[in-house]
Amino acid sequence: MKDLSELAFPEDILYAPSHEWARSERELVRVGISDFAQDQLGDVVFVELPAVGAHFEAGGEFGTVESVKAVSPLYLPLAGEVTEVNAALADAPQLVNDEPYSGGWLVRVRPDESGGWQQGLLSAAAYRASLGAKEG
């Protein structure tokens, strides 16, 4: 596992305490797992994602990610409807490790609340600080 100083935490996205990230894309939100989460998991070998059209509440389990170490649940950081899943992960689940903030994204969601979906999510600095507190 890498040191926190070696991991990336882009400033233009928000983070859930459960280690998913959310990036606003006009009326949709793209979701993935953080660099910290993929590093903790190790090599990802399979990703189970929901069907397009599925609806979840904030914090609802929407899939799983399987690595060489464990199978971990994925929690949606906002309430909404899944509008797209990253089909590339079926053939290349390692994208979650290689490109956690670009090619390794998981789902796109139409938020239930267009203006309030960010509630409860952390800035990059706050997320990094929470990780540092857990390690210290």
Side-chain angles (χ1 to χ4, degrees):
M1 289 182 284
K2 296 179 181 175
D3 186 80
L4 275 182
S5 64
E6 301 174 80
L7 300 173
F9 300 98
E11 298 289 331
D12 65 330
I13 61 177
L14 297 172
Y15 301 84
S18 54
H19 309 296
E20 290 81 12
W21 56 260
R23 176 182 286 138
S24 178
E25 296 180 337
R26 299 182 187 210
E27 73 275 1
L28 300 179
V29 177
R30 191 184 300 223
V31 174
I33 64 170
S34 72
D35 199 13
F36 174 81
Q38 70 80 21
D39 183 62
Q40 295 288 308
L41 285 168
D43 293 336
V44 173
V45 296
F46 182 75
V47 180
E48 180 181 10
L49 297 174
V52 171
H55 182 273
F56 298 91
E57 296 301 319
E61 185 177 328
F62 72 93
T64 58
V65 59
E66 183 177 344
S67 72
V68 294
K69 293 181 179 177
V71 176
S72 299
L74 297 165
Y75 301 104
L76 202 63
L78 64 147
E81 177 186 340
V82 174
T83 62
E84 185 180 354
V85 298
N86 187 352
L89 297 179
D91 293 328
Q94 72 277 9
L95 287 171
V96 172
N97 295 114
D98 297 341
E99 304 172 8
Y101 301 112
S102 55
W105 63 278
L106 302 172
V107 294
R108 279 197 174 106
V109 176
R110 182 177 317 283
D112 285 352
E113 295 180 48
S114 61
W117 63 265
Q118 301 92 341
Q119 191 171 22
L121 299 180
L122 305 170
S123 68
Y127 179 64
R128 181 189 291 269
S130 74
L131 297 176
K134 289 176 186 172
E135 283 195 347

PDB file of all heavy atoms in Angstrom, residues 13 15 20 26 56 68 81 88 94 96 103 108 112 118 126-128 135:
ATOM      1  N   ILE A  13     -13.606  17.011  -7.412  1.00  0.00           N
ATOM      2  CA  ILE A  13     -14.615  16.004  -7.087  1.00  0.00           C
ATOM      3  C   ILE A  13     -14.842  15.972  -5.585  1.00  0.00           C
ATOM      4  O   ILE A  13     -14.050  16.499  -4.806  1.00  0.00           O
ATOM      5  CB  ILE A  13     -14.234  14.602  -7.604  1.00  0.00           C
ATOM      6  CG1 ILE A  13     -12.928  14.113  -6.991  1.00  0.00           C
ATOM      7  CG2 ILE A  13     -14.138  14.590  -9.109  1.00  0.00           C
ATOM      8  CD1 ILE A  13     -12.566  12.711  -7.439  1.00  0.00           C
ATOM      9  N   TYR A  15     -15.939  13.472  -2.104  1.00  0.00           N
ATOM     10  CA  TYR A  15     -15.649  12.125  -1.610  1.00  0.00           C
ATOM     11  C   TYR A  15     -16.619  11.725  -0.508  1.00  0.00           C
ATOM     12  O   TYR A  15     -16.973  12.539   0.340  1.00  0.00           O
ATOM     13  CB  TYR A  15     -14.218  12.058  -1.057  1.00  0.00           C
ATOM     14  CG  TYR A  15     -13.187  12.408  -2.079  1.00  0.00           C
ATOM     15  CD1 TYR A  15     -12.848  13.742  -2.330  1.00  0.00           C
ATOM     16  CD2 TYR A  15     -12.565  11.419  -2.820  1.00  0.00           C
ATOM     17  CE1 TYR A  15     -11.907  14.070  -3.298  1.00  0.00           C
ATOM     18  CE2 TYR A  15     -11.620  11.738  -3.790  1.00  0.00           C
ATOM     19  CZ  TYR A  15     -11.301  13.066  -4.018  1.00  0.00           C
ATOM     20  OH  TYR A  15     -10.382  13.384  -4.975  1.00  0.00           O
ATOM     21  N   GLU A  20     -16.080   6.327  -1.963  1.00  0.00           N
ATOM     22  CA  GLU A  20     -16.484   6.574  -3.335  1.00  0.00           C
ATOM     23  C   GLU A  20     -16.297   8.061  -3.630  1.00  0.00           C
ATOM     24  O   GLU A  20     -16.260   8.874  -2.714  1.00  0.00           O
ATOM     25  CB  GLU A  20     -17.969   6.189  -3.559  1.00  0.00           C
ATOM     26  CG  GLU A  20     -18.236   4.703  -3.517  1.00  0.00           C
ATOM     27  CD  GLU A  20     -18.349   4.139  -2.089  1.00  0.00           C
ATOM     28  OE1 GLU A  20     -18.439   4.950  -1.133  1.00  0.00           O
ATOM     29  OE2 GLU A  20     -18.323   2.918  -1.949  1.00  0.00           O
ATOM     30  N   ARG A  26     -22.703  18.385 -15.457  1.00  0.00           N
ATOM     31  CA  ARG A  26     -23.976  19.051 -15.776  1.00  0.00           C
ATOM     32  C   ARG A  26     -25.087  18.445 -14.935  1.00  0.00           C
ATOM     33  O   ARG A  26     -25.007  18.486 -13.731  1.00  0.00           O
ATOM     34  CB  ARG A  26     -24.262  19.006 -17.264  1.00  0.00           C
ATOM     35  CG  ARG A  26     -23.186  19.719 -18.051  1.00  0.00           C
ATOM     36  CD  ARG A  26     -23.496  19.717 -19.492  1.00  0.00           C
ATOM     37  NE  ARG A  26     -22.360  20.274 -20.213  1.00  0.00           N
ATOM     38  CZ  ARG A  26     -22.453  20.911 -21.327  1.00  0.00           C
ATOM     39  NH1 ARG A  26     -23.630  21.098 -21.882  1.00  0.00           N
ATOM     40  NH2 ARG A  26     -21.391  21.375 -21.923  1.00  0.00           N
ATOM     41  N   PHE A  56     -31.253   4.213  -6.368  1.00  0.00           N
ATOM     42  CA  PHE A  56     -30.683   3.960  -5.045  1.00  0.00           C
ATOM     43  C   PHE A  56     -30.812   5.202  -4.188  1.00  0.00           C
ATOM     44  O   PHE A  56     -30.761   6.323  -4.700  1.00  0.00           O
ATOM     45  CB  PHE A  56     -29.189   3.589  -5.152  1.00  0.00           C
ATOM     46  CG  PHE A  56     -28.952   2.327  -5.922  1.00  0.00           C
ATOM     47  CD1 PHE A  56     -28.742   2.373  -7.300  1.00  0.00           C
ATOM     48  CD2 PHE A  56     -28.963   1.107  -5.296  1.00  0.00           C
ATOM     49  CE1 PHE A  56     -28.535   1.214  -8.025  1.00  0.00           C
ATOM     50  CE2 PHE A  56     -28.755  -0.065  -6.006  1.00  0.00           C
ATOM     51  CZ  PHE A  56     -28.539  -0.003  -7.380  1.00  0.00           C
ATOM     52  N   VAL A  68      -8.005  -9.190  -5.371  1.00  0.00           N
ATOM     53  CA  VAL A  68      -7.297 -10.387  -4.946  1.00  0.00           C
ATOM     54  C   VAL A  68      -7.374 -10.562  -3.430  1.00  0.00           C
ATOM     55  O   VAL A  68      -7.142 -11.655  -2.922  1.00  0.00           O
ATOM     56  CB  VAL A  68      -5.826 -10.367  -5.406  1.00  0.00           C
ATOM     57  CG1 VAL A  68      -5.751 -10.442  -6.924  1.00  0.00           C
ATOM     58  CG2 VAL A  68      -5.095  -9.144  -4.898  1.00  0.00           C
ATOM     59  N   GLU A  81     -30.895   7.886  -9.960  1.00  0.00           N
ATOM     60  CA  GLU A  81     -31.102   6.810 -10.921  1.00  0.00           C
ATOM     61  C   GLU A  81     -29.841   6.601 -11.752  1.00  0.00           C
ATOM     62  O   GLU A  81     -29.269   7.559 -12.269  1.00  0.00           O
ATOM     63  CB  GLU A  81     -32.259   7.170 -11.854  1.00  0.00           C
ATOM     64  CG  GLU A  81     -32.507   6.144 -12.939  1.00  0.00           C
ATOM     65  CD  GLU A  81     -33.564   6.604 -13.926  1.00  0.00           C
ATOM     66  OE1 GLU A  81     -34.345   7.502 -13.596  1.00  0.00           O
ATOM     67  OE2 GLU A  81     -33.578   6.060 -15.036  1.00  0.00           O
ATOM     68  N   ALA A  88     -16.743  -0.887 -19.979  1.00  0.00           N
ATOM     69  CA  ALA A  88     -15.343  -1.271 -20.192  1.00  0.00           C
ATOM     70  C   ALA A  88     -14.797  -2.095 -19.036  1.00  0.00           C
ATOM     71  O   ALA A  88     -13.863  -2.889 -19.219  1.00  0.00           O
ATOM     72  CB  ALA A  88     -14.485  -0.025 -20.390  1.00  0.00           C
ATOM     73  N   GLN A  94      -9.200  -3.877 -14.201  1.00  0.00           N
ATOM     74  CA  GLN A  94      -7.995  -3.234 -13.678  1.00  0.00           C
ATOM     75  C   GLN A  94      -7.983  -1.730 -13.927  1.00  0.00           C
ATOM     76  O   GLN A  94      -7.156  -1.018 -13.354  1.00  0.00           O
ATOM     77  CB  GLN A  94      -6.731  -3.892 -14.236  1.00  0.00           C
ATOM     78  CG  GLN A  94      -6.454  -3.598 -15.689  1.00  0.00           C
ATOM     79  CD  GLN A  94      -7.222  -4.493 -16.678  1.00  0.00           C
ATOM     80  OE1 GLN A  94      -8.107  -5.246 -16.299  1.00  0.00           O
ATOM     81  NE2 GLN A  94      -6.877  -4.395 -17.947  1.00  0.00           N
ATOM     82  N   VAL A  96      -9.991   0.234 -12.720  1.00  0.00           N
ATOM     83  CA  VAL A  96     -10.258   0.822 -11.406  1.00  0.00           C
ATOM     84  C   VAL A  96      -8.942   1.136 -10.695  1.00  0.00           C
ATOM     85  O   VAL A  96      -8.808   2.167 -10.042  1.00  0.00           O
ATOM     86  CB  VAL A  96     -11.152  -0.112 -10.552  1.00  0.00           C
ATOM     87  CG1 VAL A  96     -11.288   0.391  -9.129  1.00  0.00           C
ATOM     88  CG2 VAL A  96     -12.514  -0.275 -11.203  1.00  0.00           C
ATOM     89  N   GLY A 103     -10.752   6.425 -16.606  1.00  0.00           N
ATOM     90  CA  GLY A 103     -11.256   5.213 -17.228  1.00  0.00           C
ATOM     91  C   GLY A 103     -11.847   4.196 -16.273  1.00  0.00           C
ATOM     92  O   GLY A 103     -12.605   3.328 -16.682  1.00  0.00           O
ATOM     93  N   ARG A 108     -22.836   6.455 -13.904  1.00  0.00           N
ATOM     94  CA  ARG A 108     -23.333   7.828 -13.977  1.00  0.00           C
ATOM     95  C   ARG A 108     -24.741   7.808 -13.410  1.00  0.00           C
ATOM     96  O   ARG A 108     -25.513   6.881 -13.674  1.00  0.00           O
ATOM     97  CB  ARG A 108     -23.367   8.334 -15.411  1.00  0.00           C
ATOM     98  CG  ARG A 108     -22.033   8.799 -15.909  1.00  0.00           C
ATOM     99  CD  ARG A 108     -22.211   9.664 -17.169  1.00  0.00           C
ATOM    100  NE  ARG A 108     -20.949  10.221 -17.568  1.00  0.00           N
ATOM    101  CZ  ARG A 108     -20.244   9.787 -18.624  1.00  0.00           C
ATOM    102  NH1 ARG A 108     -20.700   8.818 -19.371  1.00  0.00           N
ATOM    103  NH2 ARG A 108     -19.098  10.342 -18.912  1.00  0.00           N
ATOM    104  N   ASP A 112     -31.483  12.703  -7.522  1.00  0.00           N
ATOM    105  CA  ASP A 112     -32.868  13.031  -7.173  1.00  0.00           C
ATOM    106  C   ASP A 112     -33.009  14.526  -6.920  1.00  0.00           C
ATOM    107  O   ASP A 112     -34.022  15.117  -7.262  1.00  0.00           O
ATOM    108  CB  ASP A 112     -33.294  12.264  -5.919  1.00  0.00           C
ATOM    109  CG  ASP A 112     -33.566  10.795  -6.209  1.00  0.00           C
ATOM    110  OD1 ASP A 112     -33.570  10.397  -7.396  1.00  0.00           O
ATOM    111  OD2 ASP A 112     -33.767  10.046  -5.236  1.00  0.00           O
ATOM    112  N   GLN A 118     -24.825  17.038  -3.053  1.00  0.00           N
ATOM    113  CA  GLN A 118     -23.490  17.086  -2.454  1.00  0.00           C
ATOM    114  C   GLN A 118     -23.505  16.950  -0.931  1.00  0.00           C
ATOM    115  O   GLN A 118     -22.452  16.787  -0.310  1.00  0.00           O
ATOM    116  CB  GLN A 118     -22.792  18.399  -2.813  1.00  0.00           C
ATOM    117  CG  GLN A 118     -22.633  18.636  -4.281  1.00  0.00           C
ATOM    118  CD  GLN A 118     -23.800  19.434  -4.883  1.00  0.00           C
ATOM    119  OE1 GLN A 118     -24.879  19.522  -4.307  1.00  0.00           O
ATOM    120  NE2 GLN A 118     -23.579  19.989  -6.049  1.00  0.00           N
ATOM    121  N   ALA A 126     -10.698  17.675   3.063  1.00  0.00           N
ATOM    122  CA  ALA A 126     -11.359  17.043   4.214  1.00  0.00           C
ATOM    123  C   ALA A 126     -11.240  15.516   4.143  1.00  0.00           C
ATOM    124  O   ALA A 126     -11.043  14.848   5.166  1.00  0.00           O
ATOM    125  CB  ALA A 126     -12.820  17.474   4.280  1.00  0.00           C
ATOM    126  N   TYR A 127     -11.378  14.974   2.937  1.00  0.00           N
ATOM    127  CA  TYR A 127     -11.252  13.516   2.776  1.00  0.00           C
ATOM    128  C   TYR A 127      -9.836  13.067   3.123  1.00  0.00           C
ATOM    129  O   TYR A 127      -9.633  12.115   3.878  1.00  0.00           O
ATOM    130  CB  TYR A 127     -11.612  13.119   1.356  1.00  0.00           C
ATOM    131  CG  TYR A 127     -11.492  11.651   1.071  1.00  0.00           C
ATOM    132  CD1 TYR A 127     -12.294  10.715   1.725  1.00  0.00           C
ATOM    133  CD2 TYR A 127     -10.579  11.164   0.138  1.00  0.00           C
ATOM    134  CE1 TYR A 127     -12.187   9.353   1.462  1.00  0.00           C
ATOM    135  CE2 TYR A 127     -10.466   9.820  -0.139  1.00  0.00           C
ATOM    136  CZ  TYR A 127     -11.268   8.917   0.526  1.00  0.00           C
ATOM    137  OH  TYR A 127     -11.155   7.567   0.267  1.00  0.00           O
ATOM    138  N   ARG A 128      -8.852  13.783   2.592  1.00  0.00           N
ATOM    139  CA  ARG A 128      -7.458  13.444   2.890  1.00  0.00           C
ATOM    140  C   ARG A 128      -7.200  13.541   4.401  1.00  0.00           C
ATOM    141  O   ARG A 128      -6.547  12.669   4.986  1.00  0.00           O
ATOM    142  CB  ARG A 128      -6.503  14.365   2.146  1.00  0.00           C
ATOM    143  CG  ARG A 128      -5.037  14.057   2.395  1.00  0.00           C
ATOM    144  CD  ARG A 128      -4.110  15.118   1.814  1.00  0.00           C
ATOM    145  NE  ARG A 128      -4.098  15.125   0.374  1.00  0.00           N
ATOM    146  CZ  ARG A 128      -3.236  14.418  -0.365  1.00  0.00           C
ATOM    147  NH1 ARG A 128      -2.334  13.682   0.233  1.00  0.00           N
ATOM    148  NH2 ARG A 128      -3.266  14.461  -1.662  1.00  0.00           N
ATOM    149  N   GLU A 135      -5.220   6.845   9.880  1.00  0.00           N
ATOM    150  CA  GLU A 135      -3.914   6.184   9.881  1.00  0.00           C
ATOM    151  C   GLU A 135      -3.096   6.539  11.118  1.00  0.00           C
ATOM    152  O   GLU A 135      -2.276   5.760  11.549  1.00  0.00           O
ATOM    153  CB  GLU A 135      -3.126   6.580   8.634  1.00  0.00           C
ATOM    154  CG  GLU A 135      -3.598   5.855   7.407  1.00  0.00           C
ATOM    155  CD  GLU A 135      -2.604   5.959   6.284  1.00  0.00           C
ATOM    156  OE1 GLU A 135      -1.682   6.777   6.352  1.00  0.00           O
ATOM    157  OE2 GLU A 135      -2.769   5.208   5.318  1.00  0.00           O
TER     158      GLU A 135
END
